Amino acid sequence: MSLVPLFEKIHQLPTVPAVVSELISSLDNDRISIHHVSASIRKDPSLSLKLLRSANSVRYGVGRNVATIDNALLLLGFDRVRTLVIASGVVGVLKDVPGLDRRTFWHESFMVANISRALMRHSRLEGLAPETAFTCGILHRVGAALMHIAHPQVMSRIDALVASGAPRGELEFDQFGFNYTEVGAELARHWRFPEPISTALAYQERPLEAAPFSAYAAAVNLAIELSRHVGEGWREEHALSEMPRAVRRPLALDLLSLYEEVLDILKADDELGVFFD
C-alpha cells in the first residue's frame, strides 16, 4: 500500500533542525570542518543550550565547566558532540505525540541507539561508523511516532497489545498495509538522510533480507532484541547469549569486549533528563 495517504494526512510533517540534518549527512564525511559545525550549532540557541546542558551533566561531564560550543568540541570530541546534537534535535522534533508515552518511547530508543553503537565499535568489518549506528537506533521507531500522529486511536490499541507481547510490525501491517519500518525509512528519505540510515530503518525487522547486507540494520535488530529481553526481566548475560547467530555472525563481532560494554549500557542509569525540556 502507498504511504502517500499517511503523509498527506499529517498536515505538517515534523522537520529536523538544519544543523541536525547537516550533521547526519556528515556521518560518513571525515573532512567536515569542525569550525563550520560549531558555527552552525551556535545559530540554533535551543540546541546550543541542550548541548551545553548535556556536556555538563553527570553522564557526559568531563570534570570541568563546559561553557561554549567550542569548549564542548574540544573537551568531548567531535563525534560525541555530533551525537548529542543529533539526539537533542530528534527528541525535540517529536513532542506531544497523541497517545505516545514520551519517556518510554525515548528510553527504548536511546537504549537501542547505545547498544547499536557498541555493536559497531566491536565489529571487525571495515568502514562502519558507530555514530551512524547510534543515529539509526535513535530513529528506529520514528515511523511509529508518525503513525501515532496520523492514527492515534488505532496505534494506542496496537501499543497495548505490543506491551503484552504481540508483534508490532504484523499488527500495523494488518491495519494499514504497511508498518513503522517502512514509514520510518520513507521519513528518513524525506529528510534526505544518507541511504544507509533509510535502509537500516526499512530492514531492521528482517536484516538478512537486505541486499547488499546492511550492518546497521543487523545492529539495530540485535539491539532491539537485547533491550526487549532485558525489559522483560531476562538477566543481561542471558539476553546477550541469546543474540540470534544468523544476524550476529555477519557482523564479525569481538564478543568478549562487546559483552563487557553492553553490560555496562544495560545497567546504566536513564540518560533522558538532559534531553527533555
Side-chain angles (χ1 to χ4, degrees), residues 27 112-121 128-139 197 200 215-216 219-220:
L27 283 166
V112 169
N114 284 321
I115 296 172
S116 298
R117 177 168 54 192
L119 286 159
M120 289 300 93
R121 283 176 176 161
L128 298 179
E131 302 311 317
T132 298
F134 178 93
T135 302
C136 294
I138 204 75
L139 292 169
I197 293 178
Y216 300 119
V220 171

Side-chain angles (χ1 to χ4, degrees), residues 164-177:
S164 300
R168 174 178 296 281
E170 290 184 24
L171 288 174
E172 291 174 352
F173 191 85
D174 177 71
Q175 290 295 308
F176 306 113

